[in-house]
Amino acid sequence: MMVMFICTVSGGLMAVAQLGVIAHDLGVKEAPISLFGITMAALPFALMLDRVMNGISRPLFGF
């Protein structure tokens, strides 16, 4: 069971770890994103949104 958990988690961690490289390659790393009057660079916004959506989805879809 622990091996299954580690395999599942490692895939998600690798995907999040590559967001900076992908954003740099696409040229959107520093692109401004505006949402509800708040302007941020695209990469920090994507990382923040990832954490928020992860927190919302855990209770909805189970642990």
Side-chain angles (χ1 to χ4, degrees), residues 3-4 6-7 9-12 17 19 24 33 35-37 39 41 51-52 55-59 61-62:
V3 172
M4 288 172 35
I6 291 171
C7 289
V9 170
S10 62
L19 279 179
H24 179 71
I33 304 291
L35 183 67
F36 302 119
T39 303
R51 296 286 90 202
V52 171
I56 291 172
S57 67
R58 282 189 183 262
F61 299 110

Side-chain angles (χ1 to χ4, degrees), residues 9-58:
V9 170
S10 62
L13 287 175
M14 285 189 280
V16 171
Q18 295 301 316
L19 279 179
V21 177
I22 294 168
H24 179 71
D25 287 345
L26 295 175
V28 296
K29 186 175 182 179
E30 298 296 327
I33 304 291
S34 295
L35 183 67
F36 302 119
I38 300 171
T39 303
M40 298 177 68
L43 183 59
F45 179 73
L47 293 172
M48 180 192 69
L49 196 61
D50 175 59
R51 296 286 90 202
V52 171
M53 291 297 127
N54 188 18
I56 291 172
S57 67
R58 282 189 183 262

